[in-house]
Amino acid sequence: MPTLDEVARLAGVSRATASRAINGGSRVSAKAAEAVAEAVRTLGYVPNPAARSLVTRRTDTVAMVVPESDERVFADPFFARTLHVVTQALAKRDLQVVLLIAQPGDEMQRTLRYLRGGHVDGAIVVSHHRNDALADHLAAIGLPAAFIGRPLTGAEKVFYTDPDNIAGAREVTNILIERGCRRIGTITGPIDMSAGTDRAAGWRAALDAAGLATDAVVEGDFTEDGGEAACEILLRDHPDIDGLMVASDLMAAGALRVLDRAGRRVPDDIAVVGYDDLGIAERTTPPLTTVKNPIGDMAREAVRLLLAQIDGGTTIPRRVVFAPELVRRTSA
């Protein structure tokens, strides 16, 4: 394999100048940069990544951190869509993605040690929980980071993108109210996540404004099985509900199975709405009225916020919030 010294000799420049030209340094004349580029093409020189990293102090790698179990990551279309968009966006800058799946505890401590060790240029964090305190940890480390979804703690310290979950849940709950539903329950997401608390808050705000009761609440976990289990509890404790706002379409799919077994016709006996619109909503029976979660837009914006930090832009945290978009189908 040709060496950097051979490139420098052929280009007629010093080894240091050749290194700066190859690694994008600014103190290289246009004539020298062209001579080095021609030598690289002629010799077929391929830079050593480790050596390049020593010069640029960059790894050309970004971590995508997901504090969830691997079972959930590979079962939920939210994560597949997010990873696809993040990977595509970073590929345009020739950056690699390292996927770090870590639940709170020892796995999270290992992840934090990895992030502190200089192995990546930055991190995109998805599906974070209150107890993982990742916003606080990453702010303390000083690692460029962008969160997809508002952290429940330390949000003021980091860059993040988020849908307006409160407004979205309020609007989709209002669809149930407009249909004439008067006993409206909800299956929330996990209350240690902003998406869980915000969507519950939007449901409650719509019912408060209509003067309706807000006691028919069961916490779910954003999984299909979790939605099924939560709906069974909800029907047992509140058999009179005639409307149901479910904080994710996956959970709504599980809830629809329970309602079918119970002989509750949707939407005639009980109207159901979901949240996310990531594919499953149009395949349920009946298809779900829901709120579109702009995963692609949030992921691309998170990449943009991260790259701005890596490239030496602003260090003042920014947030970008996306407005909700209702998707009407036949479940409500």
Side-chain angles (χ1 to χ4, degrees):
M1 295 290 291
T3 66
L4 181 61
D5 288 327
E6 291 173 305
V7 170
R9 281 197 297 271
L10 183 60
V13 300
S14 69
R15 189 179 191 279
T17 297
S19 177
R20 287 196 299 272
I22 290 170
N23 292 306
S26 58
R27 293 180 294 117
V28 181
S29 69
K31 181 179 179 181
E34 178 55 36
V36 171
E38 180 60 30
V40 166
R41 288 191 292 270
T42 300
L43 295 172
Y45 173 75
V46 178
N48 182 307
R52 182 176 184 275
S53 180
L54 288 173
V55 174
T56 64
R57 299 184 183 275
R58 294 273 293 274
T59 66
D60 291 337
T61 302
V62 169
M64 182 167 161
V65 184
V66 187
E68 298 287 353
S69 67
D70 53 357
E71 292 90 352
R72 186 178 170 213
V73 170
F74 295 116
D76 192 328
F78 171 87
F79 297 107
R81 174 66 175 158
T82 302
L83 180 60
H84 173 71
V85 174
V86 167
T87 301
Q88 277 197 326
L90 289 173
K92 295 176 181 178
R93 285 281 300 269
D94 202 22
L95 296 174
Q96 299 296 318
V97 177
V98 175
L99 179 61
L100 302 178
I101 300 173
Q103 291 181 292
D106 291 342
E107 291 181 21
M108 182 57 67
Q109 291 307 310
R110 285 195 295 272
T111 296
L112 289 171
R113 285 196 297 271
Y114 182 85
L115 294 174
R116 283 194 295 264
H119 302 291
V120 296
D121 298 328
I124 290 178
V125 186
V126 187
S127 194
H128 31 85
H129 299 256
R130 185 193 306 274
N131 289 340
D132 60 44
L134 272 168
D136 294 307
H137 287 304
L138 293 181
I141 293 170
L143 182 72
F147 284 65
I148 297 177
R150 187 187 84 255
L152 274 180
T153 62
E156 73 283 357
K157 302 175 184 177
V158 295
F159 295 70
Y160 69 85
T161 67
D162 200 34
D164 191 340
N165 283 308
I166 294 178
R170 185 174 58 240
E171 289 186 23
V172 79
T173 303
N174 278 332
I175 289 177
L176 299 176
I177 296 171
E178 291 164 5
R179 278 187 58 91
C181 299
R182 289 298 176 265
R183 192 73 174 98
I184 301 172
T186 189
I187 299 172
T188 75
I191 60 172
D192 67 341
M193 301 178 70
S194 63
T197 58
D198 286 356
R199 292 174 192 180
W203 165 82
R204 187 171 290 106
L207 296 188
D208 284 342
L212 301 175
T214 59
D215 60 315
V217 182
V218 178
E219 183 181 354
D221 61 1
F222 284 149
T223 71
E224 195 165 342
D225 289 344
E228 186 170 359
C231 190
E232 288 176 347
I233 295 171
L234 198 60
L235 284 186
R236 181 197 69 199
D237 296 344
H238 305 279
D240 57 335
I241 59 172
D242 58 1
L244 179 59
M245 195 287 282
V246 189
S248 80
D249 294 339
L250 272 178
M251 292 195 299
L256 287 172
R257 290 201 299 267
V258 174
L259 294 173
D260 182 62
R261 290 198 300 267
R264 303 287 295 272
R265 296 170 302 162
V266 178
D268 300 319
D269 300 326
I270 179 170
V272 179
V273 294
Y275 210 110
D276 283 335
D277 198 39
L278 294 177
I280 192 172
E282 57 198 34
R283 299 194 302 271
T284 58
T285 304
L288 277 168
T289 289
T290 188
V291 180
K292 185 177 181 63
N293 199 354
I295 301 301
D297 292 338
M298 289 196 300
R300 280 184 286 270
E301 185 63 21
V303 169
R304 192 184 70 79
L305 293 175
L306 178 66
L307 293 177
Q309 297 169 72
I310 291 174
D311 292 340
T314 179
T315 58
I316 301 172
R318 288 189 55 219
R319 64 178 182 176
V320 179
V321 179
F322 292 86
E325 179 184 341
L326 292 176
V327 180
R328 291 179 178 264
R329 298 192 178 95
T330 57
S331 68

